[in-house]
Amino acid sequence: MATGSSSSTGTLHHLVYQLSTCPIPPTNPDQHQHLLHVVQKVMAHYAEYYRVKSLAAERDTLSVFVAPWATTLERSLYWIGCWRPTTAFHLIYSESSIHFEAHIFDILQGNGTGDLGDLTPYQFGRVSELQCETVKEENAISEQLSEWQAEAFEMIGACTNLDMNMGSLVSVLKTADDLRLRTVRKIVELLTPQQAVEFLIAAAELQFGVRGWGMNQDRRRGNRIR
């Protein structure tokens, strides 16, 4: 789950196409390995995106922090320069409910579907634990940002060069991005390959949907998107 340049978004569109054409459910070891391979490619894309973003933040912290490439809607939903990590858990619960309702008869008959509607009690328990852990980390990072803001106001009031304190803001942004990536990785590792494919498709579709709606709104207002 990442939003960035048109190049990054184009790559993600291509990867989502590969995800959507995966054989689900896999019926042989080769198909199983293919699912794993495509999931790994998506995760590698996310890791590369955050690596490049980290380098950009070191060069121009404020620009990356406010995400000028994003739509007004996207920025209104952002937490420290991008999506809030706990969004991933809301997505898991939502997709699990949708899949469960679609196949409720089969599941109640004891016929497993293997999709996100067929999460095991262990998986649900781990998702809940990961959510609690992530909330705690989010709160801690928000506190770091609050501390930076307080120091920045003091420096501005004292007519001190704020550039001296930008390193701390870069650190906050990198920590937030690290949590975003780790959250997706932990969820994907918890899921079966089929479930991971479904989760990543849903996450990308949510991103594309928000961006598309935001772009339409910005065009109506005459706002430009980089």
Side-chain angles (χ1 to χ4, degrees):
M1 300 175 70
T3 303
S5 66
S6 58
S7 174
S8 175
T9 302
T11 300
L12 185 57
H13 271 288
H14 179 67
L15 290 171
V16 170
Y17 172 77
Q18 292 185 43
L19 288 171
S20 64
T21 56
C22 283
I24 292 179
T27 57
N28 59 59
D30 287 342
Q31 292 181 348
H32 181 86
Q33 286 301 315
H34 178 65
L35 261 65
L36 282 174
H37 176 65
V38 178
V39 168
Q40 289 168 356
K41 285 176 67 175
V42 176
M43 294 309 301
H45 168 72
Y46 284 146
E48 176 63 9
Y49 167 79
Y50 286 117
R51 185 190 71 81
V52 173
K53 184 181 175 185
S54 176
L55 295 175
E58 292 176 358
R59 293 193 300 268
D60 189 351
T61 311
L62 293 180
S63 179
V64 172
F65 195 88
V66 300
W69 55 80
T71 64
T72 305
L73 174 63
E74 287 173 303
R75 287 194 294 272
S76 74
L77 299 173
Y78 278 177
W79 170 82
I80 310 185
C82 203
W83 57 277
R84 184 178 283 273
T86 44
T87 303
F89 299 102
H90 298 308
L91 186 62
I92 278 284
Y93 293 133
S94 174
E95 288 298 309
S96 178
S97 176
I98 291 171
H99 281 78
F100 179 82
E101 291 177 4
H103 304 289
I104 187 171
F105 181 78
D106 290 331
I107 294 173
L108 292 178
Q109 292 296 313
N111 301 318
T113 59
D115 59 19
L116 284 174
D118 198 19
L119 295 175
T120 67
Y122 170 76
Q123 286 177 311
F124 268 120
R126 282 296 295 138
V127 167
S128 179
E129 290 173 359
L130 288 173
Q131 184 177 14
C132 292
E133 293 169 6
T134 304
V135 168
K136 290 180 180 178
E137 290 197 61
E138 275 188 3
N139 291 340
I141 297 170
S142 293
E143 292 247 346
Q144 292 176 24
L145 178 60
S146 295
E147 291 173 2
W148 181 87
Q149 290 171 333
E151 292 175 1
F153 276 119
E154 289 180 4
M155 295 179 75
I156 293 171
C159 297
T160 305
N161 188 349
L162 191 58
D163 289 342
M164 296 171 58
N165 203 32
M166 282 301 167
S168 297
L169 185 58
V170 172
S171 178
V172 171
L173 183 61
K174 287 184 177 182
T175 303
D177 282 345
D178 176 68
L179 179 58
R180 283 183 261 267
L181 183 58
R182 282 192 292 112
T183 298
V184 176
R185 276 179 173 161
K186 288 179 180 179
I187 289 176
V188 167
E189 289 170 0
L190 176 63
L191 302 175
T192 67
Q194 176 183 344
Q195 292 167 343
V197 166
E198 293 169 346
F199 167 70
L200 292 172
I201 289 175
E205 288 180 344
L206 175 62
Q207 172 185 324
F208 297 152
V210 171
R211 181 163 183 79
W213 198 85
M215 290 180 73
N216 288 336
Q217 293 296 310
D218 280 350
R219 288 193 188 102
R220 292 177 187 174
R221 297 186 179 93
N223 296 336
R224 290 186 177 183
I225 304 169
R226 296 187 189 180

